[in-house]
Amino acid sequence: MKELLEKIYAEAQAFGKDATLQMNKGNKAAGARARKAALALMKDLKEFRKVSVEAAK
């Protein structure tokens, strides 16, 4: 679970960096990277929820 959390933190940080670049500088490539990171982040958050529920049982 610790590894999953570290992965989520890293993806959230990458998303924030790329989304900021797109917003501030209009960088289209950064926007594409941010969207890709958002999809990966959603997938990992769903996995975290599943692992968390199992650990709570």
Side-chain angles (χ1 to χ4, degrees), residues 33-48:
R33 288 191 304 268
R35 290 188 296 275
K36 183 177 178 182
L39 289 174
L41 191 55
M42 284 182 2
K43 178 183 152 206
D44 288 337
L45 288 171
K46 287 178 184 179
E47 181 65 26
F48 173 78

Side-chain angles (χ1 to χ4, degrees), residues 2 4-6 13 16 18 20-21 36 40 44-45 51-52:
K2 182 179 179 182
L4 182 59
L5 279 174
E6 290 172 356
Q13 192 173 34
D18 289 330
T20 301
L21 280 173
K36 183 177 178 182
D44 288 337
L45 288 171
V51 170
S52 178

Side-chain angles (χ1 to χ4, degrees), residues 2 14 27 31 53:
K2 182 179 179 182
N27 187 329
V53 168

